[in-house]
Amino acid sequence: MSSNFARMQAISAITNRVAEPVEATEPLEDIWATDVFTLTLMEEVLTKTAFKAVKKAFLNGETLDPAAAEPVAAAMKNWAISKGAKFFSHIFYPLTGRSAEKHDGFIISSTDGKAITEFAGELLIKGEPDGSSFPNGGLRTTNAARGYTAWDPTSPAYIQRTANGATLVIPSVFLSWTGESLDTKTPLLRSNAAVDRSARKVLELMGEEEIATVSSSCGAEQEYFLVDQNFVNARPDLLLAGRTLFGAAPAKGQEFDDHYFGAIPTRVQNFMQDFEDKLYRLGIPAKTHHNEVAPGQFEIAPYYESANIAADHQQLMMTTMQQTAKAHGFACLLHEKPFAGINGSGKHVNWSVGNATQGNLLDPGDTPHQNLNFLLFCGAVIRGVHKYGPLLRAVIASAANDHRLGANEAPPAILSVYLGDQLESIFKDIQNGKLRKKAKGKEMDLGLKQLLSFTADPGDRNRTSPFAFTGNRFEFRACGSSNTVSTPLVAMNAMIADSLDWIASRLKKALATTDNKSEAVVIVLQELMQKHGVAVFGGDGYSAKWHKEAVEKRGLLNLPTTADALPYYKDKDIVKLFTSTDILSAKGVDARFEVAAEQYIMSIEVEAKLVVDMATTQIYPAALAQIASVSGAAGEAESLGLELDTSALEETVAHANGLSAGVAKLKKALTKHFKTPEAHMRFCADTICPLMLEIREHGDALEGLVSDELWPLPKYAEMLNIK
Ligand code: ADP
Ligand code: MG
C-alpha cells in the first residue's frame, strides 16, 4: 500500500461521488417556523389566563409561575408528540461557549404495559442534567457538583430533527444550587435588564414619558469553510483541532479574489438550500449567503433579532450547519483559521439597543430630539469601548482567534471605535468646545442639521476597525467564527449600561444648570469625549503607524494573544462593571477567566500533541522514504558514471533533522508544570506556539521536497478546491 493511500483514496472518493438528490424545496410560508412552539401557537392552544401568564413572562423575561406552567407543559407535549417527538431536552449553554443537551423520554412506566406519556409543569420549568463534568471555574465544589437548568420562557421551544428522530428542545439557563450562573445565557438576560435600568434613567432625564423595556438586538454574520469530509478524515489535525497544523501554501490561493461573491458551486448550493430550509423550519431568519474571500469559504447572515433569541439561534445555527454539512459529505469548519495564509473566519456581531417607544436608540433618527438621544447613546458606546476595551478583547479571546486578529485580515487586537467622517466630526466639535461657543447665541446649532441629513451610507465602511458604527448599529468585527455571540453581547450591554449610568449622573447635574437639553447634552458629551475620545479612530487599523500611535500616543492596549487578554477579567474596573450592573458576582467573573484560560491551554496542548504525532508518524517517515529513494537513485546514477544534483536531497535531510529536533524540544516543553493559569498561558503563547511553528516550517518545506506519491496528507490546493 502506498504511503499516500488515504490522501489518494479521499480524492478518488470525492471525484466519484454521486450527488445528493435534492428534494424540491417547499414554499417559505409552508415551512416558516413550523417546528417552533411560537407565541401565536400558544395563544391558539392555551386558555386566556395561561396565555397571559406566558406572554408576560415572554415579554418581561420573568420566571413563569409554576401553576401557569402546568397547562403550558401539557400543550407543549401534545404539540411535540404531534410532530413526532418522543423525547424532550433542556438545551443550555455552558461556559465552554457551546450548547449542551440531556434528553429524557416523555414515556413513563405503566402497570398495564401500555406506553403513557407525561410532561409535568415542573419538568418544563426545571431540569437536572448531571452537569458535573462541565467546566465551572470553581463555582461548584464536587460535593455540590450538580447544577440545574430552568426554562427561559423568552426563547421559544422547538423541535430538533436528527437521524434519531424528533426531540422537543427547551431553551434554558444553567445555574448552580447556590444561584451562580454556570452558563452564557443568564448573564445575557441580566445584561439586558441592566441596559433597561440605565437607559431608562437617561431617557427620563431627556423628558421621555412613555418608555417601554429597552433591550439589545443582534444580527451575526457567520463565516465558515466547507471541506470534503474525506479530506478531513485523512487529516488528524482537521479532525481533532479543526485546523491544519501543517500545509504548504498552494500555487494559487486567494490572490485572484475570484472566489469572493463568485458563483456558488452546485454541491454547496444544495447544502445551503437544505440547511436554510432547516433554519426556516426553526424560525431562524436566514437572509443572505455568499462566497467569501477564500476558496471554500462562505458566509450566512440571518436577519437580526432580540439578543437573547439571536444568541440561541446562533448556537442552533452552528449545530444545524455542521449536521447538514455532514449529510452532504462536507465538514463545516467553524475554526477561526483552518488554513494558514488563507483568510480566516470571523463572526461580525451587529448590535443595537432600543425599545418599542423610542425605537432604535443607535439610529440618529429624524428629529432634533431623537438626534440628542442618539448622541448620548453613541457617546455611551465610545466611553464603553475606551474604558472596557480590554474586556471586549477578552470576550473574543481564544487560541483560534489569535491567528486572525492583527494579521491584516481581521481588525487588530487594539480596541477603537469607528464612527464615520460625519459623526466623528460632530463628536470632535463637541470635544473641542466648538458647539458650546455657538450656544452663546440664542439658538444652539449643535451641528444637528448636519446630523439630520445623516444617511447611513453602507459604502462608508471601515473594514479595518474592530468596532464600527454602520448607520444604525455597531458592528463588532473582531469576533471569531466559533465564538458564542453571548459573551460579546454581555460585554457590550454591560459597557453601555455602565456608561449610560455615568451619563445619567452627569446629565442630572448639567440639567440643574440649564434647562436647554441640547446644551446639557453637549456639556456631558464634552467631558465624555475629553476623557474617552482617544478611542475614536477612523484611519487604517491595519497599519503599523496606527499600532504605534494607539499604544504610544493614545494609551490604548494592544493585546495580541489570549494570554495577554484574559487576565483583564481580573482587572478591578472590569470586575466592578459586572458586579455593579448585577450581571455576575465577582466569583462568577473569576470563573469565566478560569474556564477561558483552561480552554486556551487545552486547545494549544491538543494542537501541540497533534504536531508531535503528525510530524513523527506521517511527515518524518515520508521524508525518510524520499531520502531513501533519491539516495538510491543517486547511487545508481553514480554506478552509471552519471552525476546527480543532490542539493534537494541535502535540503530534505536538513529539514527532516530540523523536524525531529523541533519535535524533541516540543515534547520536552509539554512536560512542564505551572502554578497559575496565567503562567501556563504565557508559556503556551511564548514557547509552545513558536515551537509548533518551527516544526511546521520544516514540515511545509518537506511538502515541497517529497515526491507527491509519498506525501500522506491532503494538500491545501486539494482541500480548498476539490468539491
Ligand atoms: P454587511 O455584510 O454589509 O455588514 P449584512 O447584511 O451581511 O451586512 O449583515 C448585517 C447584519 O446586521 C444582518 O444580520 C442584519 O440583520 C443586522 N442588522 C441590521 N440592522 C440591525 C440593528 N439595528 N441591530 C442589530 N443588527 C442589525
Ligand atoms: Mg458586516
Side-chain angles (χ1 to χ4, degrees), residues 176-237:
S176 78
W177 288 107
T178 54
E180 290 281 356
S181 141
L182 299 172
D183 65 351
T184 58
K185 185 190 250 299
T186 314
L188 180 53
L189 293 170
R190 291 183 188 155
S191 72
N192 262 331
V195 170
D196 180 51
R197 283 193 302 272
S198 310
R200 195 167 286 279
K201 287 185 204 164
V202 172
L203 292 173
E204 274 166 6
L205 287 168
M206 290 301 287
E208 299 286 354
E209 277 160 11
E210 210 193 321
I211 306 168
T213 309
V214 181
S215 67
S216 54
S217 298
C218 162
E221 301 157 57
Q222 173 79 51
E223 292 177 341
Y224 61 97
F225 277 86
L226 289 177
V227 172
D228 194 281
Q229 185 67 44
N230 288 291
F231 285 135
V232 175
N233 295 345
R235 298 230 21 161
D237 46 3

Side-chain angles (χ1 to χ4, degrees), residues 219 221 299 301-304 350-352 360 461 472-473 475:
E221 301 157 57
E299 177 184 297
Y303 200 69
Y304 73 101
N350 292 270
W351 163 81
S352 61
N360 178 356
R461 290 286 177 91
N472 62 357
R473 61 186 186 270
E475 185 173 8

Side-chain angles (χ1 to χ4, degrees), residues 22 25 224 226 259 264-280 286 288-292 297-300 321 324-325 328 330:
V22 202
T25 62
Y224 61 97
L226 289 177
H259 187 70
I264 299 172
T266 315
R267 192 175 158 202
V268 175
Q269 239 167 36
N270 291 349
F271 154 77
M272 282 180 172
Q273 223 161 49
D274 190 4
F275 158 55
E276 281 157 12
D277 273 7
K278 285 188 178 137
L279 295 186
Y280 288 144
T288 58
H289 61 222
H290 58 79
N291 280 7
E292 262 302 326
Q297 191 188 30
F298 308 91
E299 177 184 297
I300 172 148
M321 260 167 116
T324 314
H328 288 256
F330 282 126

Side-chain angles (χ1 to χ4, degrees), residues 147-199:
Y148 70 92
T149 55
W151 180 35
D152 165 20
T154 62
S155 183
Y158 56 89
I159 301 289
Q160 192 169 41
R161 297 180 190 279
T162 62
N164 298 328
T167 303
L168 169 69
V169 184
I170 303 155
S172 305
V173 294
F174 184 39
L175 302 163
S176 78
W177 288 107
T178 54
E180 290 281 356
S181 141
L182 299 172
D183 65 351
T184 58
K185 185 190 250 299
T186 314
L188 180 53
L189 293 170
R190 291 183 188 155
S191 72
N192 262 331
V195 170
D196 180 51
R197 283 193 302 272
S198 310

